[in-house]
Amino acid sequence: MKSDMITYSAADPQSISRPVAKTADGKNGSVPPENGKISSSRRVKIGVLQGLMRVSFVIILALLACMIGYIIYRGAAHVTWTLVSTSPSLLNDTIGILPNILNTLYIVLMTLVLVLPLGVGTAVYLTEYAANAKLVSVIEFATETLAGIPSIIYGLAGMLIFVQFFSLGTSLLAGALTLVIMTLPTIIRTTQESLKTVPDSYREGGLALGAGKWYMIRTVVLPSSIDGIVTGCILAIGRIVGESAALLFTAGMANEIMNLGEAIQPGHAGSTLTVALYMYAKERGEFDVAFAIALILLVLTFLINMAAKLVAKKLRRPTQNED
Amino acid sequence: MATIIQSENLNLWYGDHQALKDINLSIEEHQITALIGPSGCGKSTFMKTLNRMNDLVKSCRIEGKVTLNGVDIYKDMDANILRKRVGMVFQKANPFPMSIYDNVAYGPRIHGIRSHAKLDEIVERSLQQAALWDECKDRLKTSALGMSGGQQQRLCIARALAVEPEVLLMDESTSALDPISTAKIEDLCLELKKKYTIVMVTHNMQQANRISDVTAFFLLGELIEAGETKQIFLNPTNKKTEEYITGRFG
Amino acid sequence: MATRIEYDEELRDISSQIRAMGTEVKRAIDMTVEAFSGLDTERANQIMQHDDIIDHYESLIEERCIEIVVKQAPIASDWRKIASYMRMISDLERIADNCSDISMYIKRIAAGPEVHVPVAFTGMFDTMRDMVSDTIESFFNGDTKLAAAVIRNDEVVDRDFDVIMKEISAEIQKNPGHTDQFLDYLMINKYVERMADHSANIASWVTFIVKGQLRLQYTDRYRKNSES
């Protein structure tokens, strides 16, 4: 950082002597004077800015440390094996979040399976095929708008459309479908950006060899943009895992263990970890459990990010020599 | 020498702007035909009509005929088949972000060749033809992006040759390269013309003079003069040709 | 839009220098004709000294042409000009050298007894002088018709050469005592014929510059000789 700052001093071998630009009143403008030294007022300004930057950096680190620290402090003790591997049992008077963990995984899976083909396909269409520029900008505008809608509205909409109108009932399926609409803009946008970074020369090269358009996209463009698509995936997963309001209305608060076959059917409600956190904290006052869940969620998020980065790296390696 | 490509009264518009005016030009087999002219004269546009890469531009409209071995390439031929028979090497080398092997094998794979043995053979043969085999044979699976500029361009040539085209179009393919890489590719062209036909767009008068058999001079969308290279560069018929090649304008 | 202005100026400059060189060559020939008809030793010495000026022109122009080839890589008419200039100045310089050679023989003849000068000499000298003058003018004006006329006149000079040679041969047989002088005249005969050849070469180069067609005199001469 320090070397990026321009500091002039008489002994500095890199101090440059330049002709002085005189302003109308005869004073120097913002050009350093001939002897290579900067004025003291300027030095103060630089110092203040540097200081402010350092302070911001420290504040952010501190905030992050405090938040994580507090959650660990309040939650670590309560992350027991019982908590993590069982479902709530009235008999034993224990609380277990296994069903929530499972539900979270199910919902992530279901959403991704639906949103990836839909999102990537739309992005490919918009970037590679769409002829009508007006239509494209309309779709893009719609996508951007969708991205900005508060999630509780999605919850409401999801409830009305999927839970009631399509009679799926409060279910993981309805939740997943709602999440599909919520994460679609993210997937479309990141995929589009990624596709746009693929140079046209690749497309021309492929076509000039006699490849059909879809073949070329499938074999050259998509593989080149895979890391961007994976990034979009991470962002989407992050949103899914963190989503509470929308799922509250659509997937419900049930705490039963299901297998995958049951999870994908209508009518099977289930709460995810985030919803469970809300539930235990707000409705049952079990703050210890809530913090434990918070810690688990943090760890989960961290692991997902790591995994996705590894996957992206691995996908890139056979194609690009980083030596 | 048989004519392999013929353009008849070829006119081309990008929207309202007419980029090619009544071009009648024959490309002879096993020769190097150089297309020269100032920027914007239509030489690259003309070359792109030969493999229908102009189709990619939405506002492009064509009148007239271009034939490959007598067959109308716009009316009676599928664009993808055409591009297999008429290959193209671009100004800036554009190898795919894949291994050297996969780059060269890309073309054959499009056209259905799956057998490892066959692909190995094609890759080796194409890299040999592009004078790249010895430099690459031990690192076929490494990324093509790790090669130098000159090597990448030769890789693109190998890639184009892998589908066994009849004609190779080279769009200022050496303009981004240093003199030694340029010289290597020029030597390559002289060797390749025995088996293929080459059409090249170039800004380099010396290059056109050195290696081409026929030179065609374009100006503002018109074909001003086309003839034996020796004659064009020693005693051109048209004054504008003379002015252009001696650098008096352009 | 004018480009390569300096290049064009350089080409024009060289062309002017060749004109100047041509003028000097014409002067040398005029002096030679004078010296020959009067067997003027004084004149002959002047001619030999004057040769230095022409040699100087040749090396100057040659250097400039080589520089252009290296710097500008000339093609088409630029190349035809430069290539022709370089050959032409060589021919011009040869013509001047031949004047000096003739002067040397004039001095020798002047020092000896008077002998009968073959009649055809006057005509041959005149034709040759006209050829040099015309060829230089054809270069000035890019006049290919004049150049073609010069090339045709070479045959006239060749015929005169044969006639004079026969005459001298006859004279030697008649007056063997004056053989040395007659042999000197024979040398002068040869030089005049060579000067005509060089003029015809220059005319060929002029045609090359203007039309792009090359017809070297050398090949014609050998073909003529083998046919006769």
Side-chain angles (χ1 to χ4, degrees), chain B residues 129-193:
Chain B
Q129 287 187 335
L132 206 52
W133 176 249
D134 289 326
E135 291 169 53
C136 292
K137 59 177 187 258
D138 298 323
R139 49 180 183 123
L140 289 177
K141 297 294 183 182
T142 62
S143 168
L145 300 180
M147 300 167 97
S148 74
Q151 288 177 322
Q152 283 187 6
Q153 193 63 299
R154 278 182 284 150
L155 176 64
C156 291
I157 295 176
R159 188 176 67 183
L161 294 177
V163 295
E164 287 188 272
E166 291 157 56
V167 181
L168 199 58
L169 304 178
M170 301 181 72
D171 193 354
E172 295 192 53
S173 303
T174 57
S175 62
L177 300 177
D178 64 271
I180 295 186
S181 304
T182 301
K184 282 191 188 161
I185 291 185
E186 285 181 12
D187 285 344
L188 195 57
C189 289
L190 289 172
E191 194 53 43
L192 289 174
K193 79 169 186 186

Side-chain angles (χ1 to χ4, degrees), chain A residues 201-202 207-210 219-220 319, chain B residues 80 83 94-97 106 111 143:
Chain A
S201 58
Y202 289 170
L207 291 173
L209 288 165
T219 54
V220 179
T319 59
Chain B
N80 294 334
R83 291 176 192 148
N94 58 354
F96 301 132
Y106 187 83
H111 303 289
S143 168

Side-chain angles (χ1 to χ4, degrees), chain C residues 94-111:
Chain C
R94 283 281 109 114
I95 292 176
D97 272 351
N98 290 156
C99 289
S100 297
D101 294 326
I102 292 176
S103 303
M104 192 179 75
Y105 283 102
I106 289 176
K107 280 170 69 175
R108 278 164 58 133
I109 293 171

Side-chain angles (χ1 to χ4, degrees), chain A residues 193-230:
Chain A
E193 288 308 311
S194 194
L195 288 172
K196 283 180 188 166
T197 63
V198 175
D200 270 341
S201 58
Y202 289 170
R203 296 180 178 84
E204 283 182 343
L207 291 173
L209 288 165
K213 190 162 184 179
W214 172 237
Y215 184 92
M216 177 269 294
I217 293 174
R218 186 165 57 83
T219 54
V220 179
V221 179
L222 281 176
S224 301
S225 49
I226 199 86
D227 42 332
I229 297 175
V230 167

Side-chain angles (χ1 to χ4, degrees), chain B residues 54-115:
Chain B
N54 272 320
D55 288 3
L56 303 178
V57 180
K58 291 184 184 58
S59 60
C60 177
R61 181 170 63 93
I62 288 197
E63 270 175 27
K65 199 157 100 164
V66 180
T67 60
L68 175 65
N69 277 327
V71 181
D72 187 326
I73 66 175
Y74 282 90
K75 295 210 177 79
D76 300 326
M77 205 183 283
D78 172 54
N80 294 334
I81 303 285
L82 171 68
R83 291 176 192 148
K84 177 186 179 299
R85 296 173 62 188
V86 179
M88 184 173 246
V89 180
F90 296 84
Q91 182 171 359
K92 187 134 195 322
N94 58 354
F96 301 132
M98 304 169 184
S99 68
I100 295 174
Y101 185 97
D102 285 333
N103 261 282
V104 184
Y106 187 83
R109 280 185 181 135
I110 298 172
H111 303 289
I113 299 180
R114 299 254 172 267
S115 135

Side-chain angles (χ1 to χ4, degrees), chain A residues 259-279:
Chain A
N259 61 33
L260 189 56
E262 293 169 320
I264 61 177
Q265 287 179 34
H268 284 91
S271 58
T272 59
L273 281 170
T274 320
V275 172
L277 197 164
Y278 163 75
M279 205 176 57

